[in-house]
Amino acid sequence: MILCIFPIQKVINKRKEPFMSQNSKTNSGHPKGLYLLFATEMWERFSYYGMRAIFALYMVKALMFDKHIASGIYGSYTGLVYLTPLIGGYVADRYWGNRRSILIGGLMMAMGQFCMFLSASYYQNSQLTLMLMMLGLGLLIIGNGFFKPNISTMVGQLYEAADPRKDTAYTIFYMGINLGAFFSPLVCGGLGDTGNPGDFKWGFLAACIGMIIGVITFELLKNKYLVTPEGEQIGKIANSKRLETLDKELEPVGDREGLNTNVTPELVQKPPATNNGSKTLISVIAFVVITLGLKFLVFTEAAGTETAQVKTIMMMNDWITSGIFTAIIVVPLSIFLDASLTKIEKERILVIFIAAFFVIFFWSAFEQAGASLTFFADEQTNRKLGGWEMPASWFNSFNAIFIVILAPLSGLLWGGLRKRKMEPASPTKQAFGLFFLSVGYLVIALGVKHVAPGVKVSMLWLTSLYLLHTIGELCLSPIGLSMVNKLAPVRFASLLMGVWFLSNAAANNFAGVLSGLYPEQGKITVFLGYHMANLYDFFMLFVVMSAVASGILFLLTRWLTKMMHGVR
């Protein structure tokens, strides 16, 4: 598969760099290792998004879970997927190195997908299938933690620190993500989402095979292509040891990777000594107290008729949700209260925290794609094209194809505005993203208004939603990591990047909570006093939530821009 990907390079970048050997670069000037990482990440995303496209349907149709329970499991899984890279990145940096982490993570995810295949193979045996499913999810979560942060880190190491081709390289790399996200629901959904509960296993098996192909491709070609411009092997040793070597060779400039463009003397000065022991103890105590409070006062499940195993799963979901939301409170506070921070640093960090807070509202609504919107596609969307009915899971491909089509136009738009010095600041772009998200839900809310339960609406409504959501994503998503990178003091860069991923974890977990409110006939769901008796009420929840968040962020934009102190 990787061989058929290499021709894409010819239309990306025509320049050749003199410092790169002919053995380590392609005719277009980019290292061949970039396309190896492209292919590896593409297959990993194929595995993830293929499984995600059918996971909620599998729980509802094969395991006969209530949508509320299925949504909770879905939210806990996707939330933890965003948390474990913090641990996996630390292990790779300190001990294993990128390559070993990718291998171990990839193999764990392949085993996780195989456990999902076995779970779906014995779906009629409730005890065995639940045990296999939970084992599979655990392996996928931990494996993703080792794999995900390390594959993207290696892209930058293929180039010199100041190489201008890095931006183009990441654009190519993210094309691999979207390519995998596009065709995985088509394959896994086409095999598993057939209307026969026994066929879900084939979708999970396809996801497993995709992951195995990615690992084999990486292992066979890594030594040949994953090298620095000087010919040294990339990712073979832990980053901490690699940077120790660089420290001996380079003058200390505070930003050895060339990532932070706002390094100034006052930002790289060593922080004064603080009592880290007592600070850590206070943070741990706060974490425990807040987690217990959230678990027993907020995230509590009412007694029902579920089996003991399902009740155990629901209790685990509550603990996971409580822990994630506690982390999003405690970790930012512990950073912000650090005595070494200057006034400017505190203000820039506060901008990161506020942006991360609003990100939760965006992704919690956006990520309904794998849960409630899939339920809607399956039950109330007319998917017939002639005599053939499109699988509901195929709607999960729409966002990826819209990204591929619209991303170049988005780049031209922001580039044109930048040349005219009219490009909006990052918070403004984020507010626009929330606005388009709200409009997307408004469109589908109007599409289902006054529609009787069981009546199916045109797929154009759902297609329009995904189009508008993709436009919103292009406004918001690309600026997130870049903004953190620009605003974070160098000594807190990793922690603040962790806060950003924490907000994504909280958003995905919250998406599961909100999806659990999906109204079914004869049932009324409630969120903060708002009653939802039908799909119109349900979708209007996201309309209001996103619109209010967008409006508040628009009002805060000027203040936030001022606190960024020149960073755009």
Side-chain angles (χ1 to χ4, degrees):
M1 184 67 187
I2 188 173
L3 295 178
C4 70
I5 290 171
F6 283 150
I8 297 174
Q9 311 160 35
K10 297 179 181 179
V11 299
I12 301 297
N13 192 341
K14 297 291 184 183
R15 294 177 300 167
K16 291 186 179 181
E17 298 297 328
F19 58 76
M20 296 189 69
S21 68
Q22 292 294 327
N23 291 331
S24 63
K25 69 179 181 179
T26 67
N27 291 333
S28 64
H30 279 289
K32 292 181 179 179
L34 172 64
Y35 299 94
L36 171 59
L37 296 176
F38 174 106
T40 306
E41 178 68 359
M42 180 194 70
W43 282 114
E44 186 274 330
R45 290 292 87 184
F46 171 91
S47 176
Y48 174 78
Y49 283 108
M51 177 269 191
R52 194 195 76 157
I54 61 175
F55 182 39
L57 293 175
Y58 166 63
M59 289 188 284
V60 171
K61 289 188 165 185
L63 303 186
M64 306 306 291
F65 282 179
D66 179 272
K67 288 187 178 68
H68 174 67
I69 297 171
S71 296
I73 296 172
Y74 170 86
S76 293
Y77 165 65
T78 55
L80 290 175
V81 157
Y82 276 92
L83 268 187
T84 50
L86 303 179
I87 301 172
Y90 178 83
V91 171
D93 282 344
R94 295 288 180 178
Y95 307 109
W96 287 358
N98 300 126
R99 295 187 179 195
R100 185 185 299 178
S101 296
I102 289 170
L103 173 62
I104 293 174
L107 291 176
M108 290 184 73
M109 285 190 286
M111 289 188 292
Q113 297 288 17
F114 190 72
C115 286
M116 295 299 295
F117 163 73
L118 293 176
S119 171
S121 299
Y122 298 99
Y123 73 95
Q124 293 176 319
N125 184 335
S126 60
Q127 286 192 328
L128 179 61
T129 194
L130 277 177
M131 181 183 70
L132 288 168
M133 184 182 80
M134 298 310 292
L135 176 61
L137 294 178
L139 288 168
L140 287 168
I141 290 166
I142 298 171
N144 177 82
F146 289 127
F147 186 99
K148 188 64 179 172
N150 292 291
I151 193 79
S152 55
T153 298
M154 296 180 77
V155 173
Q157 296 178 36
L158 291 167
Y159 301 85
E160 296 282 0
D163 195 327
R165 296 172 303 162
K166 270 188 180 183
D167 287 343
T168 306
Y170 276 104
T171 300
I172 298 171
F173 179 72
Y174 289 129
M175 284 172 59
I177 294 176
N178 287 300
L179 184 60
F182 167 66
F183 74 85
S184 56
L186 304 182
V187 175
C188 298
L191 293 172
D193 182 18
T194 64
N196 178 6
D199 286 341
F200 280 109
K201 62 186 176 185
W202 304 121
F204 293 130
L205 183 61
C208 174
I209 293 171
M211 192 66 247
I212 291 172
I213 292 174
V215 172
I216 292 175
T217 302
F218 181 81
E219 286 299 308
L220 289 178
L221 300 176
K222 65 181 182 182
N223 291 332
K224 184 175 181 180
Y225 294 121
L226 294 182
V227 294
T228 65
E230 294 78 22
E232 298 177 3
Q233 295 287 315
I234 292 173
K236 206 167 187 178
I237 62 173
N239 287 333
S240 58
K241 296 178 181 178
R242 178 174 66 88
L243 294 178
E244 284 175 10
T245 303
L246 284 175
D247 278 338
K248 296 176 183 178
E249 299 172 355
L250 303 174
E251 291 294 326
V253 295
D255 184 29
R256 58 171 65 91
E257 294 293 335
L259 295 175
N260 195 318
T261 59
N262 296 278
V263 177
T264 57
E266 68 269 16
L267 295 184
V268 299
Q269 63 184 353
K270 292 184 179 180
T274 57
N275 191 347
N276 289 325
S278 61
K279 179 182 175 183
T280 302
L281 179 61
I282 292 172
S283 297
V284 170
I285 293 173
F287 185 89
V288 172
V289 171
I290 296 174
T291 300
L292 290 173
L294 289 175
K295 170 63 182 73
F296 292 108
L297 298 177
V298 181
F299 300 110
T300 56
E301 291 290 345
T305 59
E306 296 84 6
T307 64
Q309 281 184 310
V310 172
K311 286 182 178 178
T312 300
I313 293 173
M314 293 169 66
M315 183 178 67
M316 289 173 56
N317 287 339
D318 290 341
W319 280 112
I320 291 170
T321 301
S322 301
I324 290 175
F325 277 90
T326 299
I328 202 66
I329 296 170
V330 173
V331 175
L333 277 177
S334 65
I335 297 173
F336 194 73
L337 295 177
D338 190 282
S340 70
L341 291 173
T342 65
K343 181 177 181 292
I344 291 178
E345 287 174 335
K346 279 194 173 185
E347 290 183 351
R348 286 179 169 176
I349 288 174
L350 185 59
V351 173
I352 294 174
F353 291 163
I354 292 172
F357 174 74
F358 283 99
V359 156
I360 295 175
F361 291 97
F362 182 88
W363 292 116
S364 62
F366 186 93
E367 288 297 330
Q368 295 301 310
S372 67
L373 290 177
T374 298
F375 298 149
F376 176 76
D378 181 62
E379 297 174 351
Q380 291 209 237
T381 301
N382 183 1
R383 295 172 278 112
K384 288 187 177 180
L385 299 171
W388 172 74
E389 187 173 45
M390 186 180 81
S393 54
W394 280 23
F395 280 97
N396 284 270
S397 291
F398 285 22
N399 171 247
I401 193 63
F402 284 143
I403 285 284
V404 172
I405 295 170
L406 296 176
L409 300 177
S410 172
L412 289 173
L413 173 63
W414 299 131
L417 291 174
R418 190 180 305 117
K419 287 180 180 178
R420 294 170 175 79
K421 297 182 179 180
M422 296 172 60
E423 183 183 14
S426 295
T428 306
K429 292 180 182 178
Q430 192 173 359
F432 274 116
L434 284 161
F435 171 76
F436 282 110
L437 184 79
S438 179
V439 174
Y441 274 110
L442 179 61
V443 167
I444 202 166
L446 295 175
V448 299
K449 191 175 184 180
H450 304 310
V451 174
V455 175
K456 295 188 175 183
V457 301
S458 169
M459 67 171 67
L460 289 177
W461 295 106
L462 200 50
T463 303
S464 300
L465 174 141
Y466 280 118
L467 174 62
L468 288 162
H469 283 191
T470 301
I471 295 172
E473 181 185 5
L474 288 170
C475 291
L476 179 140
S477 184
I479 60 97
L481 296 178
S482 173
M483 184 181 66
V484 175
N485 181 44
K486 292 174 182 178
L487 292 174
V490 175
R491 63 187 183 278
F492 287 108
S494 296
L495 270 176
L496 289 168
M497 196 65 75
V499 169
W500 191 261
F501 281 108
L502 266 176
S503 69
N504 281 271
N508 277 265
N509 187 275
F510 190 38
V513 174
L514 294 174
S515 177
L517 302 173
Y518 189 86
E520 299 186 75
Q521 193 169 1
K523 292 183 179 180
I524 296 178
T525 54
V526 183
F527 180 74
L528 298 178
Y530 175 64
H531 290 68
M532 291 163 280
N534 51 50
L535 285 171
Y536 174 77
D537 296 338
F538 177 71
F539 290 132
M540 284 304 297
L541 170 66
F542 296 99
V543 173
V544 174
M545 184 178 73
S546 305
V548 170
S550 175
I552 294 173
L553 193 53
F554 270 122
L555 293 174
L556 293 176
T557 294
R558 183 172 295 182
W559 177 61
L560 292 174
T561 304
K562 182 180 178 182
M563 290 202 300
M564 293 167 72
H565 294 281
V567 176
R568 299 292 293 178

